[in-house]
Amino acid sequence: MTDVDWLNYSLSDFLMFGPEVFLRLFVRINQDFWPLQGIAVVIMLLIAGCVVRGDTLAKRAILLLLAAAWGWSGAGFLMDYYGPINSPATWFGWAFILQAALLTVAALVWPWDGSAAHSARRWQAGAGWLVMTALLPLLVVGQSGNWYAVALFGLTPDVTVAASVPCLLLLPRQVRWLFLLLPLLWCLFSVATLWTLGTRLMLILPAVTLAVTVVGFWFSPRPVQSRG
């Protein structure tokens, strides 16, 4: 029995699929879930509206809506579509469901204060988040050349994680790390996978999200108090 020389292996040796098969997953989930994509759009609009509102109830609602998105993308895309061709995706699927549970607990029990930024800043944040979350799915379209491959928030993990990280900055820094740990691990996994597949355009999203997540461990927003 000979020893295995792991140095002779590359990441591509551990992937049992190519970029065409991976991109086809996005088309399949959109075909299978149609017309439930409308629910994802509604969740996006509700989160943006809650960011604009900015009060305690709105903050709780944001976390509950994020929980729904994490649970949906974990149980759907990761476990039912991605997992059968890439076994670590199934483990991440369970982790996404756990993250959804943690977000739900935080939404229901965390003692939020009533602080909020000025009205103009909340509108800018809400609109900026909505535009970002609406445009990010087009990266997969650009990579595949197929509009049916659009990667919506709530259905697919990369966009769900990228859109969630700015919202998670609402959490106090002393507990935020618990909610940013999975985004950090997912982005590392996604960057490695997409780099190996050669899908460079799609690689932009988890790479930028990874950088924002790392900054998020130390960033402490200081909203200006306002009733407006």
Side-chain angles (χ1 to χ4, degrees), residues 13-219:
D13 294 316
F14 297 93
L15 291 182
M16 300 295 103
F17 58 94
E20 295 81 7
V21 173
F22 178 67
L23 292 171
R24 179 64 184 172
L25 297 179
F26 296 90
V27 176
R28 286 179 53 206
I29 195 170
N30 280 318
Q31 291 174 337
D32 294 346
F33 275 77
W34 177 259
L36 296 180
Q37 287 87 343
I39 297 176
V41 174
V42 170
I43 292 176
M44 289 167 51
L45 293 172
L46 288 174
I47 291 177
C50 289
V51 171
V52 172
R53 180 170 172 174
D55 59 12
T56 299
L57 183 60
K59 292 175 182 177
R60 296 186 189 277
I62 289 172
L63 294 187
L64 287 174
L65 291 166
L66 289 180
W70 280 78
W72 192 4
S73 60
F77 187 90
L78 289 177
M79 298 181 71
D80 288 345
Y81 292 83
Y82 198 9
I85 65 170
N86 195 3
S87 57
T90 301
W91 310 337
F92 272 108
W94 285 112
F96 271 51
I97 293 173
L98 176 60
Q99 178 89 337
L102 291 174
L103 288 167
T104 300
V105 171
L108 297 177
V109 306
W110 185 258
W112 296 98
D113 58 37
S115 63
H118 284 305
S119 177
R121 292 178 60 184
R122 297 199 306 269
W123 274 98
Q124 291 170 359
W129 184 90
L130 184 60
V131 170
M132 175 194 73
T133 309
L135 292 178
L136 290 179
L138 299 182
L139 287 173
V140 182
V141 175
Q143 183 73 63
S144 65
N146 187 346
W147 280 97
Y148 289 103
V150 63
L152 288 176
F153 171 77
L155 264 72
T156 57
D158 277 336
V159 174
T160 299
V161 172
S164 297
V165 169
C167 297
L168 294 177
L169 298 181
L170 292 170
L171 293 164
R173 191 169 60 179
Q174 61 266 30
V175 298
R176 191 189 307 150
W177 66 270
L178 179 63
F179 297 89
L180 290 179
L181 184 59
L182 181 55
L184 178 68
L185 295 175
W186 170 258
C187 287
L188 290 171
F189 173 76
S190 186
V191 165
T193 302
L194 296 177
W195 177 269
T196 304
L197 290 174
T199 50
R200 298 294 188 261
L201 184 58
M202 291 176 63
L203 178 64
I204 296 172
L205 180 54
V208 173
T209 306
L210 177 62
V212 175
T213 302
V214 171
V215 173
F217 278 97
W218 292 276
F219 176 70

